[in-house]
Structure formats: C-alpha cells, structure tokens
Amino acid sequence: MEFKGDGKEKFFIVTRGKVRKGFSRGCIGRVEAVMHKGELMGLLYGGGSSGNPKSGDMVKREDTYPLTRHQAQLLLFVSPSSKRLELLCNPQLFSAICVLSQDDLVVVKHKKGHQPGLVRNLMLIGKKENQGDLLMLGFEVEFVQDSDQTVSPKKPAHLPLFSAADIVQVVPAYSVGIGPRWKDSYSEGLNRKAVPPINSMSNMGSRGRQVRDINHLDQNVTQTPTQSPSHHPFEVGSMVEVTSNTGITVYGVIRWMGVLSENKNDWAGIELDYEVNNCSDGTYGGQQYFTCKGGRALFVPLTKCSPDGRFLCCPPSEKETLKATDIPPVIPLEETDENVPPIPESEALSLLVGKMKGIQGHYNSCYLDATLFSLFCSSMTLDSVCHKPDDTEKSISRSLKKDIVNRLRRQGFVPAESVMNFRKQLGCDTFVTEEKDPEEFITILLQRVLCMKSLLKLRSNDDTSQDAYTFQIILDKEQVTQTPTVQQLLDISLLSCGLKFEEIPSCLMVHMPRFGKKYKMFPYIIPSTEFDITDLLYNSPRECFLCGRLAEYECPQCLQDRKLQPGRIKQYCTTCKTQVHIHPSRQSHCPKALAVPAEVPADAPVPRHKMQLFAVLCIHTSHYVSFVKYGPGPRSWLFFDSMADRCGDDQSGYNIPEIRACPEVGDFLSQSEEELARADPSQAGEPVRRLLSDSYMCLYQSASMALYR
C-alpha cells in the first residue's frame, strides 16, 4: 500500500488488528518511519482540544488505511473512534464531505432529527504549539430557516459546530446569494479558526440538483428538467428524487404504486430518507397504503419522480468510465483467525440499514446473496461451515469466513468482488454466470464442496433413514386452509409422507410448495415464528392430544377432522384413542402405535421442542430477496435486496444493495393464531404482503442444538 500524503507528511487510520498499547482500531497516526518488515513506526494523535502527538508505536502496514492531512484532520474531530471507520465505509459521502466549500448545503444530525444548513466556515480546532501538531477540522453550519431559501436575518453569536460524522447528505456548489463571510471565530471551550477548504479526495461531480428548505415541504412538486420518467420506468423499491415547486428536493424509496381514490393517474408513495414536516406514516386520505416512520411518507404523481441523482453514473464525456467492478472502496478487514460473532440486536440498525449495505449483487447472484445474508447476518447456526480445516481443498471455507461472513458482520457491506471470488470456488462454472435456486446452492456448498454431514435425518414408516439439507413441503392443496401457516404445512406434509425427524436439527430450511418461478400452490403463506417439532420427532415422548398423558397411538386420518382442530397432529393415550374412535365417522380410522420409550412414566410431563424462525427467502419475477430477524425483539426484522437499484447501465455500472428495517413484519407475525386466521393478507402493507405472497424458503434454528453441531 503506498501512502500519498500532503508533501512529506503521511497519515493513516488503523483499520484492524488487536487492541494494543498505543494504536487500536480507529486511531489516527502519522508515519515516522517504514521498517524493513513492512511495519510502520508512527505517532498517535488523540482527540480533544489538543492535537499533540503521543508516544509512537509499531503497526503493520496492512492494518492501516492511508489518509491525506485533510482527511486525518476531519476524522480526528469524529468521536468515538468507531464512528471514523463507519464514515470511511461510506466512501461516496466521505468524498463529498472532503470537498465541501462555502455555501454548500448539507443535512446534519441535529438534536433528534435532521436539519438542512449552509456551510459557513471550515474551522481549525485547537492550538498548534509544536510543528508536529495536527489540529482537528469541523464545520460551522448556519441552518436554513424559511421556505424561500433564506437564512435567519439575525446571525447568532456562534454558529453550531459539526464533525464530518454529523453530516448525512451533501449538495455541493449550492449558493443562496449571500456574500462570503469567512472569518476568525472563537467558541467557548475551543480555539477555532476559519480556514479555506482543501480538496483532499477526488470530486464526486456536481449532481445537478438543489436541496432547499426540507422543513416546509408541501405536496406541490415539479419534475426535474434533466430527467424524463418515460426513459426510467419505476417499480416498488426504486430510489427516486422529487423536487417541489419551491425548489425543495427530497430523496427516498418507492414503497407503493397505484391509483388513489380521487385520482385516475398513477401515484407513488415514497419513504423519504429522513423526516419532513407535513408528511405522514404511509397514510393518505385516511387510508394506510404502506407503513413507515411518521413524517417520512410522501405521495406524488409518478410522473414527478426522477431517478435518485446521487447514484447516477458519470456522463460518457468524462474521462473516467464506470465499470461493473468499480464499486466504492472498502477498508481492509482484520485477519481471519478471529471468529466474528453475529451482529448484536442493539447495533444492527446503525450498521446495516441503508443503501450500499448487505451483500452487493452482481450477474445473477441474488439467490446466493439472499441466502448468505439470511444464514450469517444475525444467526450462528451454520457458523461451523466456516471452521473447516484450512487446506487447499477446503479453501472455500476460509473465503466464506474472511471475505463474506466477517466482512458482513463487521462492516455491514460485502462488495461484489468478494462474492464473485466465492462463486468461482464452488466448482461449477454455472454458479458464476447463471441463475440458481437457494436449495441448489446450499446442497452444492454443504454436500459436495465442504462435505458436511446432512442437516436433516428423516425416518420413514418402513424404518429407513433419509438424509437431506433442506426439506421440500409436499401435499395436496385440499388438505389445508386457503392461507396456511408453515407449522400446518410441515405437520401435514411429514405425516402424509410418513416421515419423522430422527433428531432435532440445528437448522431447518423449509422449501414452500411452489414450483418454478410462477406457480404457487397458495396465494399467501404465513411463516410461523415458532415451529413446534415435538410431535414430528421419531421415538420421542409425546403427550395425548386430549388428556395430556403419555401418547401411545397416532392417527393420520384424524388430521383433518373438523371437530378436532383440523390441521393439528393427533396422538392419543390408549383410553382416549378408544373413546375418540367410537364415533361413527372415525370407526374406519387406523391409528398406528408409537414407539414409546420404556423409561418414560405415563404421567410424566412431556417437554416441548421448538425452533425459531430467523429468516425468510422470497422470490418475485426470478429475483430473490430476504427478510431476516436480527434479534429476539418481536419487531426486529430487516428486509434485504442485493440489487435494489443500479448505478449505470448493464455494461458500465454496479448494483446498489439496500437494507431497511421492517418492524411492521414483526407486528403482523406476532398476532395470535386466531388473529392470523382472520387476517386478510391482501390488505396488509407492502412488506408484509410481499413476505406472505413471495415466500420461497423459511429458515428455522434451534439454539440449543447448534451448540453441539
């Protein structure tokens, strides 16, 4: 790695390596000497009001990322140090921050919301006592107050000061016609000095748009002259921008498209990037069209939408041409010896939610992206596949751990290049170029490549064993209700096929009853948040369906009996079996004796064995996405799409993955069985409707069994 600094000075940030005396992850340093072993002797800079370097230490060159002086000064003002790495993981935003000029408009985090304002001064913070001191850099921002693009006529004594990490959006080359006001300024507790802007990273280019007073956005919008919607067909999930008649431009994602009751033209319901006055939570005219946070839903005619200019590629006339592999740079990771745990629930939203998050799709990889994200984002049930011996034959496990799992869990983003390298190691060229299904990828990876034991062990009625990695539900449509749950489908499918689980699986991946890309046996399927596997275990104690004592018989014909809770497996003790089958309609039934463990007393309580839903893979028009539960909270759900949008065309561009929070999914699935049975999925919000309609594979885990596999 070559260090390119300003003049002879070379700065860096530590991106990986174990915490040691002196340098740790997120620390800023200055190179003093390069040792022959590739290590750097550096001086450590701390935060606070002083930029004096502390005693130096040794750090590996590969554990660092080079910075210019300007970048180092900006990051030095960011606290805590972990936020510095988060900012580096968003290279497009950081690049724009580094070239901010006077009167550029920015959106900053302020109190509990976001506030637009104009950059007035770039402030040096601290006192330079010695030649080697590095002063911090911050931004003085004057908030935009009125809808006519004016600032407050009364200038405050001291403008608020923000760090680079406080800026969430940048619009360069914006001016409101107010003259230069660069000056010396002092603030209580800090020595601050205004300095001219220094360009330290390549300019991202003018985006050709203006963002004005966000706090007074109305529903009157005008189409931007540079884009024609006829050339950019939109769909639910497209990232767009909308400009009002007063010049306000906002950005968001289309969550709903259709015709409003009082209009004949197509409209779009957009979830904005941040809260805006006069916007709703997805409600329009008293009707809920989709669900989002309050103040983020904007409804406009579809013709007023334009593609999000922040992700449009450079025009062909520019020297640099965007290629499919030209994705934003990603900072280095720590060594692979460390097993990075799943992302904690408390950190998931801050690390994962947003654009350029998750696993970046490329060239028919959505089946693989959605599967890997579902399996490894917040679950460790299959972490053992990453712990295979690191030899030449099993090097794919090292690649999976280092380039995908660790990167996803630490940075929240996996570039397409890492996924492509992994695809090439699967041993089949078709996995590099062609569309596949998740179950095919899972079987190839676990069985043929990693030679893992099967996840499922099934026992048939004739006492033969079967091994499998996923389970395909097979049944007749007439056997269940119109909108079944996964629990009902599994119970009926296994009982109809005469199968039982020999043991509780650590991971159960259930393939829904749909075939090909279009045929679905049911219009909607409700994923059960808990799957009770007790009555589906071979040679395991079960309780009588009626009296609760130890069961000795099972009756498949009673499964659909409308007088005995249809869809529930029925097992009985000897007494209840006799009484139930006295009824004339059940005298033709043939109950089967169960293999009851001899050591279990007849009146002993039978423990229930349950598995938890942790992800659902969905498919629509040959494209896979996933819903993932990122914590124990009932509303802790994420939606992931590896190809939510695209920058550039098919030949010169790259896909933009996106993750968004979906608490409404948890709200729906947390309802009782009775409430779910009465629910009308067609009236649910877009994320819930998509989950129920497009579900392809449901993933369940047993936390207790995963510890032994």
Side-chain angles (χ1 to χ4, degrees):
M1 179 183 293
E2 296 183 1
F3 284 83
K4 299 178 181 179
D6 297 333
K8 296 181 180 180
E9 291 181 311
K10 300 175 182 178
F11 299 89
F12 61 87
I13 182 172
V14 179
T15 59
R16 61 183 183 182
K18 296 182 179 179
V19 177
R20 64 183 76 178
K21 183 180 179 181
F23 290 114
S24 60
R25 294 183 73 239
C27 288
I28 306 293
R30 187 182 74 204
V31 178
E32 293 297 299
V34 181
M35 314 306 288
H36 67 281
K37 293 183 179 180
E39 291 187 328
L40 304 177
M41 171 64 75
L43 292 178
L44 171 66
Y45 290 97
S49 60
S50 174
N52 300 326
K54 298 180 180 179
S55 58
D57 201 350
M58 302 294 293
V59 61
K60 293 181 180 180
R61 183 191 289 257
E62 59 266 25
D63 291 344
T64 64
Y65 188 77
L67 301 172
T68 65
R69 182 183 184 87
H70 185 62
Q71 294 170 6
Q73 290 178 289
L74 288 172
L75 291 174
L76 193 60
F77 191 40
V78 175
S79 180
S81 57
S82 59
K83 287 189 176 181
R84 300 169 183 168
L85 297 177
E86 291 179 13
L87 184 56
L88 278 179
C89 286
N90 192 340
Q92 291 175 318
L93 177 60
F94 188 51
S95 298
I97 292 172
C98 288
V99 295
L100 278 173
S101 301
Q102 178 193 1
D103 289 338
D104 278 346
L105 188 137
V106 295
V107 179
V108 296
K109 300 175 186 175
H110 182 60
K111 296 182 179 179
K112 293 184 178 181
H114 297 86
Q115 178 73 37
L118 299 175
V119 174
R120 290 310 189 194
N121 299 303
L122 181 62
M123 307 302 298
L124 282 172
I125 303 167
K127 291 184 179 180
K128 190 170 185 178
E129 300 174 349
N130 302 302
Q131 187 175 1
D133 291 351
L134 184 70
L135 301 186
M136 299 179 290
L137 279 177
F139 299 93
E140 277 194 337
V141 176
E142 187 171 1
F143 294 140
V144 176
Q145 301 293 334
D146 304 315
S147 59
D148 57 353
Q149 298 90 49
T150 63
V151 295
S152 175
K154 228 179 186 183
K155 187 175 183 305
H158 298 293
L159 292 175
L161 187 65
F162 295 92
S163 73
D166 295 323
I167 299 174
V168 297
Q169 186 174 330
V170 172
V171 184
Y174 173 83
S175 175
V176 292
I178 300 176
R181 290 193 285 178
W182 299 88
K183 61 173 186 57
D184 289 342
S185 177
Y186 297 91
S187 178
E188 183 179 353
L190 289 176
N191 180 19
R192 312 194 301 192
K193 180 180 179 181
V195 298
I198 305 171
N199 291 351
S200 61
M201 296 186 75
S202 58
N203 199 323
M204 298 299 291
S206 175
R207 294 174 177 81
R209 64 186 189 280
Q210 295 180 340
V211 179
R212 305 248 170 111
D213 178 21
I214 302 174
N215 291 323
H216 295 84
L217 179 69
D218 55 29
Q219 295 283 350
N220 297 317
V221 295
T222 180
Q223 185 178 316
T224 55
T226 57
Q227 299 293 341
S228 173
S230 61
H231 294 89
H232 297 280
F234 299 113
E235 60 183 14
V236 172
S238 294
M239 294 186 291
V240 295
E241 62 181 51
V242 179
T243 303
S244 75
N245 293 331
T246 57
I248 306 166
T249 300
V250 290
Y251 308 90
V253 179
I254 295 179
R255 298 300 185 209
W256 171 87
M257 292 172 60
V259 178
L260 295 174
S261 57
E262 70 273 20
N263 297 282
K264 295 182 179 180
N265 298 325
D266 289 335
W267 278 54
I270 303 170
E271 181 180 356
L272 302 176
D273 287 354
Y274 36 77
E275 294 181 12
V276 173
N277 285 353
N278 301 326
C279 288
S280 70
D281 61 351
T283 302
Y284 186 88
Q287 183 173 346
Q288 190 88 34
Y289 290 92
F290 65 97
T291 303
C292 67
K293 291 184 178 179
R296 291 198 179 189
L298 174 67
F299 290 85
V300 296
L302 192 59
T303 56
K304 305 303 182 182
C305 298
S306 299
D308 191 330
R310 296 171 296 179
F311 300 97
L312 293 178
C313 64
C314 304
S317 58
E318 297 193 8
K319 293 182 180 180
E320 295 183 359
T321 302
L322 195 62
K323 298 179 181 179
T325 55
D326 290 340
I327 60 175
V330 180
I331 62 176
L333 267 180
E334 294 192 12
E335 296 297 331
T336 59
D337 294 339
E338 181 183 355
N339 296 322
V340 181
I343 303 169
E345 182 179 35
S346 59
E347 302 175 12
L349 294 181
S350 60
L351 180 64
L352 291 174
V353 172
K355 303 176 181 68
M356 292 304 290
K357 296 291 186 178
I359 301 176
Q360 185 180 35
H362 175 60
Y363 208 57
N364 296 328
S365 68
C366 62
Y367 72 94
L368 186 142
D369 307 326
T371 303
L372 291 177
F373 184 83
S374 300
L375 289 174
F376 296 107
C377 172
S378 298
S379 172
M380 59 184 301
T381 185
L382 282 186
D383 275 18
S384 58
V385 305
C386 301
H387 305 154
K388 287 292 181 180
D390 187 22
D391 53 38
T392 55
E393 294 181 359
K394 306 276 192 316
S395 62
I396 188 173
S397 63
R398 178 179 176 86
S399 176
L400 176 63
K401 177 180 179 180
K402 172 187 173 184
D403 299 329
I404 296 179
V405 178
N406 280 4
R407 190 179 292 280
L408 175 64
R409 292 175 175 178
R410 178 156 293 150
Q411 295 183 350
F413 175 71
V414 179
E417 181 182 5
S418 297
V419 181
M420 180 56 73
N421 292 336
F422 175 75
R423 294 168 72 184
K424 292 177 180 178
Q425 298 181 64
L426 291 173
C428 181
D429 292 340
T430 58
F431 277 97
V432 179
T433 58
E434 297 180 6
E435 294 181 359
K436 298 287 183 180
D437 292 323
E439 67 273 17
E440 184 179 0
F441 161 64
I442 291 169
T443 302
I444 289 292
L445 176 65
L446 301 184
Q447 182 180 28
R448 299 186 186 179
V449 179
L450 296 175
C451 301
M452 282 189 61
K453 293 182 179 179
S454 59
L455 298 175
L456 308 179
K457 294 185 179 297
L458 300 168
R459 178 69 67 95
S460 63
N461 286 338
D462 58 2
D463 281 342
T464 58
S465 295
Q466 304 176 27
D467 293 340
Y469 294 89
T470 63
F471 183 80
Q472 170 70 63
I473 289 178
I474 300 175
L475 43 66
D476 293 329
K477 187 175 182 179
E478 293 73 20
Q479 291 181 282
V480 293
T481 58
Q482 184 69 14
T483 305
T485 65
V486 173
Q487 177 81 57
Q488 294 170 341
L489 294 176
L490 267 170
D491 286 350
I492 296 172
S493 179
L494 284 164
L495 198 62
S496 301
C497 296
L499 297 173
K500 288 286 192 295
F501 292 105
E502 289 190 0
E503 58 185 16
I504 302 173
S506 60
C507 181
L508 174 59
M509 292 176 269
V510 186
H511 188 186
M512 298 298 103
R514 57 182 302 159
F515 308 97
K517 302 295 188 294
K518 297 182 179 179
Y519 175 74
K520 296 186 295 185
M521 183 174 288
F522 304 99
Y524 301 103
I525 295 175
I526 300 175
S528 306
T529 54
E530 272 193 340
F531 169 54
D532 193 333
I533 199 173
T534 309
D535 297 334
L536 297 173
L537 292 174
Y538 175 77
N539 199 22
S540 179
R542 296 159 62 182
E543 65 179 19
C544 175
F545 174 74
L546 295 177
C547 70
R549 293 173 62 85
L550 188 66
E552 301 173 78
Y553 294 89
E554 180 181 73
C555 183
Q557 289 86 356
C558 285
L559 183 68
Q560 296 303 322
D561 195 311
R562 295 187 176 182
K563 297 180 180 179
L564 295 172
Q565 287 187 299
R568 297 286 299 274
I569 295 179
K570 312 300 190 306
Q571 60 276 332
Y572 309 99
C573 63
T574 302
T575 303
C576 292
K577 184 262 298 186
T578 303
Q579 293 178 344
V580 166
H581 291 89
I582 291 176
H583 194 282
S585 65
R586 305 188 193 104
Q587 290 180 358
S588 60
H589 290 189
C590 300
K592 299 179 180 179
L594 296 173
V596 181
E599 67 276 9
V600 180
D603 56 352
V606 177
R608 308 302 298 182
H609 303 288
K610 298 182 179 181
M611 303 184 72
Q612 288 72 43
L613 177 72
F614 70 93
V616 179
L617 295 174
C618 296
I619 184 173
H620 181 68
T621 60
S622 302
H623 180 62
Y624 288 97
V625 297
S626 64
F627 291 86
V628 175
K629 198 170 191 298
Y630 64 87
R635 307 183 82 234
S636 300
W637 281 91
L638 296 172
F639 171 78
F640 166 63
D641 186 349
S642 66
M643 303 177 182
D645 215 312
R646 186 167 180 84
C647 177
D649 55 28
D650 292 340
Q651 286 71 38
S652 58
Y654 57 84
N655 290 308
I656 300 173
E658 181 187 11
I659 300 175
R660 66 176 188 262
C662 290
E664 60 269 37
V665 169
D667 292 338
F668 182 88
L669 296 180
S670 299
Q671 298 179 93
S672 65
E673 290 186 17
E674 293 76 14
E675 291 173 323
L676 288 173
R678 294 192 301 266
D680 183 1
S682 64
Q683 299 301 314
E686 188 270 333
V688 175
R689 191 168 60 251
R690 187 170 188 179
L691 172 74
L692 305 183
S693 175
D694 299 339
S695 58
Y696 183 86
M697 182 179 288
C698 292
L699 280 58
Y700 290 87
Q701 62 183 353
S702 171
S704 58
M705 296 307 299
L707 300 176
Y708 302 99
R709 303 293 166 85

